[in-house]
């Protein structure tokens, strides 16, 4: 392998190319090229074209909306079915306990976690484009839902009129509270699904790019802390209120520690035992991953053991351990979500919709890249929107992709969405047949499952050291996302993190890298002279490069860097030029004593000057009108610069302020042509398509003349 690599490197080093061509500037090149003729379409024509339907177009849209129609007829049963069955069973045995556990995070009874693990998962089989992700309940989304449910239906509001020390009143109180929180969670699912559907149909799949990786990892790490804190009361068996909003973590910890003396020892022992078993099982699965045909399903094993011990020892009556309680048998009838709650939940639903989509599409892209297929981000939005909105009519709360289940589904041989469908059928069997068997399951067991599944998220604290070495700005995004989400709550924290990420983009454009380029000898390649020893500058020629777009926010820093790097002060050049022209105008006025001539000269001066916004002028032969005393103010005597080349290859955008400030180009020639930049004094002859063309053109001119060339 190394020999092949070395021979390849030698082959590249021995290859050479030789090209003879004229020196091209923009004027010459545009004269030799012919633009393709394009007939612009009116708005009416565009609408008519988009609405025109053919059988081929209809079939394409149908396959895009229902991907299962495309892959199911070509499903290779012999090669894929066994792997999908094993994967579906393995994922299903994880789906069941996680559905029960994450319902506690969402502040709803456990059975609604089972509903959320069936309907959306089954629907995704028909509409999703990823073959490997496992849709269903997820800790972060469940925590966001629970925070909204508790905020909208706090314990204090429901407890009015009820004596919670009385058994009957307490039962009625908890039933009424849970019903109202379920309504909030279901309406959130409906609204977030509608938002995802709208974004998908409007082709807004790109919104996930605004949730950059450091932001998502910082946000999910903070969410893990929220989740862990919320589960402490179940692990310890203490009774506390649930908090949401800013500083909810602090309030939750304070509430738990204030009642630490009331810890239920039996619940704590059961919970810690389950945590130990789960950690041991995960470690075995990790170490013997290649030897085990399928991972050991420790979560379902712990659930079965916990249920059996609780029922056998009657932990509820004997030791006061809280259990899951009644699980209705069978599927519930569809119900319309509470539409009147939509105005109060819209912002929360928007955050849940975007975070849920971001989680799903990021995992889907990872698996698609690994297995060599593509996913459609817009169709993923539509699929999630259908899963959430349709599922809400059957009392499911918002869902997304689960990282842990997706890894299991892929690693156990899952090939298509059939694996996800089989896992949902396993949950359905529990709902309609054996759900009642899990009624004695202690809540501390579910808390243990949730806590252990946070292990991967807590490992993300290692990102701090990684980003410290690689990028301080990305570290800042991670820290802001974590701290804001931790103390302000997941909703406000996410908004704060996104706003900060946008600010960092502006900051980066205002602090670009400025370089002076030189030539690698005997080549047409130009690199930073401060970076490489072999790179040499041409005498009298300065090549200046900035690696950012040019607009109002960084035009000042551009001219400052130009002055610092080259020794040329464009502002002083402009002032000297104006001074020389005014002096020339006074001489004309004195000689001719003519008002018409004076007015004409003034008009010419006004046109040559630039606004105060733009403090840059091109250096050309006209500058020689100024005296040596004037020139020494803006060109250092020792630099002996006769040509200045501005390399605009990295620039992809310029606005009107940038055009006025630099009178320059990039793709830019399009923007500048539209901004009426080129005129009789600034022609396309000063625009070149490569640095090397510009250098050769400058060398061909009189070296005693000062010339600024613009390079594209």
């Amino acid at each position: 392998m190394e020999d092949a690599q070395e021979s390849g490197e030698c082959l590249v080093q021995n290859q050479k190319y030789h090209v003879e061509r004229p020196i091209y500037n923009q004027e010459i090149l545009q004269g030799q090229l012919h633009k393709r003729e394009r007939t612009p379409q009116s708005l009416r024509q565009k609408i008519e074209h988009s609405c025109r339907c053919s059988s081929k177009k209809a079939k394409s849209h149908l396959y895009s909306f229902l991907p299962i129609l495309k892959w199911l007829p070509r499903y290779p049963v012999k090669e894929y079915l066994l792997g999908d069955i094993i994967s579906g069973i393995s994922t299903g045995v994880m789906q069941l306990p996680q559905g029960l556990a994450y319902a506690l995070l969402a502040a709803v009874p456990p059975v609604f976690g089972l509903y959320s693990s069936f309907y959306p998962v089954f629907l995704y089989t028909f509409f999703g484009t990823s073959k490997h992700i496992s849709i269903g309940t997820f800790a972060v989304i469940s925590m966001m839902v629970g925070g909204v449910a508790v905020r909208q239906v706090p314990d204090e509001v429901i407890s009015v009129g009820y004596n919670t020390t009385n058994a009957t009143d307490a039962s009625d109180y908890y039933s009424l509270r849970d019903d109202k929180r379920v309504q909030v969670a279901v309406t959130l699912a409906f609204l977030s699904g509608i938002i995802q559907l709208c974004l998908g149909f409007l082709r807004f799949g790109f919104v996930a790019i605004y949730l950059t990786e450091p932001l998502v990892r910082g946000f999910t790490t903070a969410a893990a802390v929220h989740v862990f804190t919320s589960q402490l009361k179940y692990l310890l068996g203490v009774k506390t209120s649930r908090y949401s909003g800013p500083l909810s973590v602090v309030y939750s910890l304070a509430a738990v520690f204030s009642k630490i003396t009331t810890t239920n020892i039996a619940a704590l022992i059961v919970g810690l035992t389950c945590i130990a078993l789960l950690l041991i099982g995960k470690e075995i699965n990790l170490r013997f991953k290649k030897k085990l045909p399928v991972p050991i399903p420790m979560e379902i094993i712990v659930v079965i053991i916990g249920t059996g011990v609780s029922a056998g020892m009657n932990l509820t009556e004997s030791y006061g351990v809280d259990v899951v309680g009644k699980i209705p048998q069978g599927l519930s009838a569809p119900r319309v979500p509470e539409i009147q709650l939509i105005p109060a939940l819209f912002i929360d639903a928007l955050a849940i919709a975007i975070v849920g989509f971001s989680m799903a599409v990021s995992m889907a892209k990872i698996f698609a890249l690994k297995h060599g297929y593509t996913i459609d981000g817009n169709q993923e939005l539509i699929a999630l929107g259908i899963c959430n909105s349709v599922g809400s009519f059957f009392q499911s709360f918002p869902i997304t992709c689960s990282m842990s289940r997706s890894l299991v589904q892929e690693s156990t041989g899952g090939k298509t969405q059939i694996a996800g469908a089989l896992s949902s059928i396993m949950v359905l069997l529990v709902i309609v047949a054996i759900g009642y068997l899990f009624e004695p399951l202690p809540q501390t067991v579910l808390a243990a499952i949730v806590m252990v599944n946070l292990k991967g998220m807590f490992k993300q604290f290692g990102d701090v050291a990684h980003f410290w070495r690689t990028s301080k700005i990305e570290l800042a995004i991670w820290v802001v996302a974590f701290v804001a989400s931790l103390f302000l709550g997941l909703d406000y924290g996410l908004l704060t993190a996104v706003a900060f990420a946008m600010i960092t983009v502006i900051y980066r454009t205002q602090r670009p890298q400025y370089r002076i380029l030189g030539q690698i000898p005997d080549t047409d390649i130009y690199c930073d002279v401060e970076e490489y020893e072999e790179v040499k500058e041409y005498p009298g020629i300065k090549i200046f490069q900035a690696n950012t777009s040019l607009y109002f926010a960084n035009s000042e820093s551009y001219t400052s860097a130009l002055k610092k790097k080259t020794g040329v002060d464009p502002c002083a050049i402009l002032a000297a030029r104006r001074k020389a022209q005014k002096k020339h105008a006074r001489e004309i006025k004195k000689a001719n004593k003519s008002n018409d001539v004076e007015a004409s000269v003034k008009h010419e001066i006004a046109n040559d000057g630039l606004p105060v916004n733009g403090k840059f002028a091109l250096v050309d032969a006209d500058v020689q009108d100024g005296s040596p005393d004037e020139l020494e103010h803006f060109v250092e005597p020792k630099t002996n610069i006769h040509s200045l080349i501005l390399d605009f290859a990295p620039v992809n955008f310029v606005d009107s302020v940038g055009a006025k400030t630099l009178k320059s180009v990039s793709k830019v020639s399009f923007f500048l042509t539209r901004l009426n930049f080129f005129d009789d004094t600034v022609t396309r002859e000063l625009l070149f398509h490569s640095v090397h063309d510009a250098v050769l053109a400058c060398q061909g001119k009189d070296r005693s003349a000062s010339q600024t060339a613009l390079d594209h």
Side-chain angles (χ1 to χ4, degrees):
M1 186 70 178
E2 292 179 357
D3 293 340
Q5 185 175 355
E6 289 177 2
S7 62
E9 291 176 356
C10 293
L11 180 62
V12 171
Q13 290 175 357
N14 293 331
Q15 288 179 332
K16 296 181 180 180
Y17 75 91
H18 177 73
V19 177
E20 287 189 5
R21 63 171 176 82
I23 297 173
Y24 285 119
N25 58 30
Q26 183 75 358
E27 194 76 27
I28 297 172
L29 194 61
Q30 289 296 324
Q32 296 185 4
L33 297 176
H34 302 282
K35 286 192 175 182
R36 296 182 184 274
E37 292 185 3
R38 291 187 179 133
T39 305
Q41 288 185 321
S42 64
L43 179 61
R44 179 181 176 182
Q45 289 174 321
K46 291 179 180 178
I47 294 174
E48 288 177 350
H49 178 72
S50 62
C51 294
R52 192 178 297 127
C53 186
S54 64
S55 59
K56 184 178 179 181
K57 190 174 182 181
K59 186 178 180 181
S60 174
H61 283 303
L62 181 62
Y63 281 179
S64 176
F65 183 69
L66 278 169
I68 192 172
L69 297 178
K70 192 172 184 180
W71 60 262
L72 188 59
R74 294 181 289 180
Y75 182 80
V77 177
K78 291 183 179 180
E79 291 135 5
Y80 283 5
L81 185 59
L82 180 60
D84 280 339
I85 290 175
I86 295 173
S87 176
I89 294 173
S90 302
T91 308
V93 297
M94 286 185 68
Q95 191 94 259
L96 172 63
Q98 287 188 4
L100 294 169
Y102 292 154
L104 296 180
L105 291 178
V108 296
V111 69
F112 294 95
L114 296 181
Y115 296 154
S116 302
S117 299
F118 168 62
Y119 292 106
V121 180
F122 189 73
L123 287 170
Y124 185 83
T125 304
F126 297 89
F127 299 97
T129 60
S130 175
K131 301 176 183 179
H132 295 93
I133 64 173
S134 173
I135 293 296
T137 55
F138 182 54
V140 174
I141 298 297
S142 299
M143 189 68 199
M144 295 176 74
V145 172
V148 178
V150 172
R151 187 189 71 215
Q152 294 293 323
V153 190
D155 293 334
E156 294 78 10
V157 174
I158 303 299
S159 62
V160 175
Y162 287 93
N163 179 13
T164 53
T165 58
N166 180 279
T168 304
D169 275 4
S171 176
D172 292 342
Y173 156 71
Y174 288 124
S175 177
L176 178 61
R177 182 200 65 182
D178 290 344
D179 286 345
K180 289 187 175 296
R181 287 181 176 176
V182 167
Q183 291 174 1
V184 172
V186 166
T187 306
L188 267 176
F190 173 75
L191 188 52
S192 61
I194 294 299
I195 291 171
Q196 287 170 332
L197 273 174
C198 292
L199 292 175
F201 285 127
L202 293 173
R203 322 304 289 173
F204 268 57
F206 64 86
V207 295
I209 64 175
Y210 293 104
L211 298 182
T212 179
E213 183 184 6
L215 186 153
V216 172
R217 294 178 72 87
F219 172 78
T220 52
T221 306
V225 177
H226 278 278
V227 172
F228 187 87
T229 304
S230 71
Q231 296 305 293
L232 282 175
K233 69 176 186 178
Y234 298 111
L235 180 68
L236 299 174
V238 298
K239 300 286 192 298
T240 65
S241 298
R242 181 164 174 172
Y243 299 92
S244 65
L247 299 179
S248 58
V249 168
V250 178
Y251 296 143
S252 297
L253 286 173
V256 169
F257 287 125
S258 67
K259 294 191 176 182
I260 197 73
T261 54
T262 64
T263 297
N264 187 311
I265 302 300
L268 179 61
I269 291 173
V270 171
L272 292 177
T273 302
C274 290
I275 289 175
L277 289 174
L278 288 167
L279 289 174
I280 292 171
K282 286 185 178 293
E283 188 64 26
I284 292 174
N285 285 336
L286 184 63
R287 291 199 176 188
F288 301 97
K289 182 179 179 180
K290 295 181 179 179
K291 295 182 179 180
L292 293 172
V294 294
I296 300 173
M298 283 306 300
E299 291 178 341
I300 193 66
I301 291 173
V302 163
V303 166
I304 293 172
I305 293 174
T307 303
V309 170
S310 176
M313 299 180 65
N314 196 10
L315 293 181
T316 305
E317 298 293 334
S318 302
Y319 300 99
V321 175
D322 291 329
V323 296
V324 167
K326 185 172 179 58
I327 297 180
Q329 193 168 354
L331 299 173
S332 60
R335 291 174 55 186
V336 178
E338 300 292 331
I339 306 300
Q340 66 270 20
L341 293 174
I342 287 179
L345 302 179
F346 181 79
I347 300 299
D348 301 292
L350 179 62
I352 289 171
I354 294 176
V355 172
F357 169 64
S358 178
M359 297 284 184
V361 80
S362 60
M363 285 297 293
K365 285 181 178 179
I366 291 172
F367 289 127
L369 184 64
K370 181 177 179 180
H371 293 277
Y373 63 92
T374 59
I375 63 156
D376 184 346
N378 293 309
Q379 181 58 29
E380 285 298 299
L381 265 174
I382 293 172
L384 288 173
I386 291 174
C387 292
N388 277 316
S389 58
V390 175
S392 68
F393 288 90
F394 299 92
Q395 286 78 59
S396 69
F397 54 82
I399 52 84
T400 186
C401 158
S402 166
M403 297 180 185
S404 58
R405 290 198 308 272
S406 296
L407 291 171
V408 168
Q409 182 169 317
E410 187 262 348
S411 63
T412 52
K415 302 294 184 183
T416 65
Q417 293 91 323
I418 293 292
L422 291 175
S423 70
S424 69
I425 291 173
M426 288 192 63
V427 176
L428 175 64
L429 293 176
V430 172
I431 294 173
V432 299
I434 59 173
Y436 67 94
L437 295 177
F438 295 100
E439 291 179 357
L441 177 63
Q443 291 185 357
T444 186
V445 174
L446 298 180
I449 292 172
V450 172
M451 287 179 166
V452 172
N453 278 317
L454 297 175
K455 180 182 176 182
M457 292 189 191
F458 282 129
K459 286 183 177 180
Q460 292 177 161
F461 278 111
D463 292 345
V464 175
H466 169 71
F467 288 128
W468 176 264
R469 293 191 301 268
T470 58
S471 172
K472 300 297 190 295
I473 291 180
E474 290 188 332
L475 173 62
I477 294 174
W478 192 99
V479 170
V480 168
F482 174 77
V483 174
S485 301
L486 184 64
F487 293 108
L488 298 180
L490 297 180
D491 44 6
Y492 294 117
L494 179 63
L495 293 175
T496 303
V498 170
F500 182 78
M502 294 295 102
I503 291 172
T504 62
V505 174
I506 299 173
Y507 172 79
R508 292 189 202 206
T509 63
Q510 289 186 287
R511 294 181 62 87
Q513 291 182 333
Y514 297 109
R515 305 182 182 93
I516 295 295
L517 303 184
Q519 185 191 34
I520 298 177
D522 301 322
T523 71
D524 60 352
I525 301 172
Y526 293 81
C527 300
D528 188 354
V529 295
E530 296 179 0
E531 188 88 13
Y532 304 102
E533 296 178 356
E534 294 82 3
V535 174
K536 304 298 180 185
E537 290 187 76
Y538 280 110
I541 299 177
K542 286 288 184 181
I543 308 171
F544 180 73
Q545 182 194 72
N547 64 342
T548 185
S549 297
L550 185 62
Y551 67 116
F552 65 92
N554 61 10
S555 58
E556 294 278 348
S557 63
Y558 189 96
T559 53
S560 299
L562 180 64
K563 175 184 175 181
K564 181 179 179 181
K565 291 281 188 181
T566 65
V568 176
D569 188 349
C571 301
I573 292 175
L574 177 59
R577 184 174 183 177
R578 285 176 174 169
K579 184 177 179 181
Q581 289 175 332
K582 287 180 181 179
K583 182 178 179 181
H584 184 53
R586 285 196 298 271
E587 291 174 353
I588 294 175
K589 179 181 177 181
K590 187 176 180 180
N592 297 305
K593 304 290 187 180
S594 170
N595 291 333
D596 292 337
V597 174
E598 180 182 351
S600 175
V601 172
K602 285 183 178 178
H603 179 70
E604 181 184 347
I605 294 170
N607 283 337
D608 284 343
L610 291 175
V612 176
N613 238 353
K615 304 175 181 172
F616 182 83
L618 297 176
V619 187
D620 59 23
D622 293 340
V623 149
Q624 298 302 321
D625 292 341
S627 66
D629 292 337
E630 292 161 346
L631 292 176
E632 69 182 9
H633 291 293
F634 59 88
V635 180
E636 296 178 9
K638 294 182 181 180
T639 58
N640 193 26
I641 299 173
H642 62 73
S643 297
L644 176 62
I645 298 172
L646 305 181
D647 179 12
F648 267 58
V651 177
N652 58 13
F653 172 77
V654 62
D655 69 355
S656 59
V657 177
K660 291 175 184 177
T661 303
L662 293 176
K663 283 197 137 191
S664 259
V665 218
S666 160
K667 178 181 191 178
V668 208
S669 77
F670 165 74
F671 293 108
L672 295 179
T673 301
R674 195 173 67 181
L675 294 167
N676 298 320
F677 162 72
F678 297 107
D679 54 27
D680 293 338
T681 59
V682 184
T683 67
R684 293 180 184 271
E685 294 178 357
L686 296 179
L687 173 65
F688 296 87
H689 274 260
S690 75
V691 173
H692 199 56
D693 280 318
V695 170
L696 295 176
C698 291
Q699 286 180 316
K701 293 184 179 293
D702 185 359
R703 294 183 180 274
S704 63
S706 295
Q707 171 74 32
T708 297
L710 300 179
D711 167 64
H712 172 28

